[in-house]
Amino acid sequence: MELNLVFPCTFCENFHGTSFARLLRHIRFIHADSPNFNIRCGINGCERRYVVFESFRKHLQRKHGQSLDDVVLGQDVLPENEVPAVIDPDRLVDRPGPNEGLQNLGIVQHADNNADLKHKLALLLLKVREVHKLPRTVVDTIFQELKNLVILNQQQMEQSVRTAFLEHGLGPDAANFLDDDLHLVNAFEQLSSEFKQMKYFRESFNYIDPIEVMVGDSAKENLLYVPILQTLKVLLSHHDVLAQVLNGHAAQDDKLNDFCDGSYSKSHGLFGSDPHALQIQLYYDDFNVVNPLGNRVKTYKIGAFYFTLGNINPCFRSKLYGIQLLCLCRSEVVKKFGLSAVLRPVIEDLRQLESDGLYLDVDGVQYTFVGSISMVVADNLASHGLGGFIESFNSLRICRFCLGTKTEIQEKFDSDDFELRTEAGHRHQVETVRLHPTLASTYGVVAASPLIELEYFSVLSGFPPDLAHDLFEGVVPEILTMTLKRLVVEEICTLGAINRAIQTFPFVGSDKCTKPISMSSELNSFRVKQTASQAWCLLRLLPLMLGDIIPLANQYFEVILLLVAVVELVCAPVHNGSTLALMKSKITDLLHLVKELFPDFRMKPKCHFLVHYPDLTAKYGPLSKCWTMRFEGKHSYFKQVARQTKNMKNICLTLAKRHQLLQCFFSSGDNFLVDHSDFIGTGGYVVSKEILHQAVIDVLGNSLNGRDDVHCFKSVTVAGVRYEKGSVVLLEASGDLLHTFGMIDMIVVVDSEIYLVGKFLITTGFSERYHAYEVEKGENFFSCRPSELVRYGPMPFYKRGVDVAGFVVSRCYIIR
């Protein structure tokens, strides 16, 4: 039996190619440059996936050339048993006759072809210009040269066709159809200027123009505002984002997974009563686009306001393109005119969102969403400035959470010993300071927050702590510096030994990207100076590095181990009542021990903020879900654009427009969020089922579906998380710390489902000296999907000596 086949496109429903070659051409020219392009081979069960079409094409030639020879050469009558597996058999249709359904065969009108090519060319322009951050002049040059090449190719093709017609006895009129321009030439003409391109981006890609708002009289005293209501409309027009808002992700048990599970959200006047209310997480910070050591630092210091939608699951919020731009302005403008003037257009739109809501029509269904700011994510200086608290941390009261004085924070290390600020008391203090400005230091308040105009925003509850600055740029380097110095003074170790331990340590996995750098070898100048991620990595692995050198009973080593335990608890992605109680106990013990061993040490405000962390975690959910580290990653984009464009005349306008074009590219697809079912695999290979260990076949069970060959990868990346051979995963959590781990030996993919296969690790105990789980390799096999893991993502595994197989070092506290 033979089939006359039509090849449907799996990316769109309206294209059916008359041959497999035409289908490939369609995918290449229409879909390959989409932001989330991801294609599965599927031929003969092949599970390779590609995000670059050219790599996919080469894979077809190298691995499946024999199977596809007839198809690629254009033969479209195939034996039924040779239909390529890349084609969905449920969508295969018999080819219509010559006069039936020409449009279903991919033969469409001129206007449709032109529109597709124009859309493709516009995506290419956005990708080259914004994803690769090239200056507009460079992009214009590339665009013009491409156009010239297309025109030259058209002219040569015309000449060849006319010559061929004459050689076969056809008259000159037979080639008159060549007088029309090619569709691609027309697409170039329709996007030939900046004006035409921007017009198309607004009409087809939901481009949102930043609005220039004059704050002062000078042209430089301006701000660029991206209307938040328009941004929210574009976001919610994507079905996956809308589904996240409508379905929510609140925990169904007593665990704290995100802000929506905290006590503040549940008791909030808006979010507590309307689960679909839009939770705006606002971020504020300054960054420099020039050399921080140069003489133009103040001139080109930019104040940036970003936001993200808290209704979206945290795994999507962490993507940089999910963080939206709100405002950009020079920091000098903020300092001169104040945050109230800068945020005026933002506050007006947010008040409208609170009262009138946002109207949305999606596929004929009407929605109205109200919303407000759920929290402001910022470092302490920005939080105090935006909240109206005193920005000097040498005043009498320096905490925005309590009324503790600078003397009390040196002596008290339990949150129960401090009087918390209240709404009524705060209003009274703001009014008193307005009448008597000299009392600002006494109350720790300087003025009313500009955000007080919002009906559903609380100044006292709207500024959660930032553990990135408090811990990794404050408490951790400060305490490590003191303890390591004291260990050197008491001749327990040397600075040279510490640096050698760092330099020779065999970092694995993601720790390779954040490994700490060597520090000063002079005691007088020694300080732990690392980035936030490096400080975290150093602290976690320091017990493994120095555990054999320092006696376990050493009090200064005890401080380090207590600090590791505190950071593990604070950074945990999930909490419950028991972990909060344990966190409170560990923090109190740590601060008491530090004060006992270093009586002359003055507790910094960041040390005091730790005291409130257990209560604030219960209030906001895990604090790692509202820290500044991902928002600060957004700064790097603007810095790179500023360096590439070298246009400082109106830097805020340049950066805002370029950012909106980038978001325009990411919003061009049907979905905005990354599909977690897609993955990227490297090092693919095929293993015959006959040579697999029977135990492996048993644990895979029915997932093999009777296959004789198993498709495997050396590593896969799922939702930004990389799994590879030798990685350790958490399979089961236990209350006695004897958790069940497994080491990946192979990664199997069947029907796009990923299975991590390996051997169980036997946990023999928890080593206090190394602050790690001591494990041995077992004999039994396991198999599981990444989504079935107790903790998403791999954990680092380090060998230490010959007595045990190694140690598993957890980044965060493991909750049962």
Side-chain angles (χ1 to χ4, degrees), residues 38 59 108 249 415 567 675 684 740:
N38 190 308
H59 166 76
V108 293
H249 59 276
S415 58
V567 171
D675 186 356
T740 303

Side-chain angles (χ1 to χ4, degrees), residues 563-576:
L563 182 58
V564 175
V566 166
V567 171
E568 274 191 356
L569 283 160
V570 170
C571 295
V574 182
H575 280 283
N576 59 20

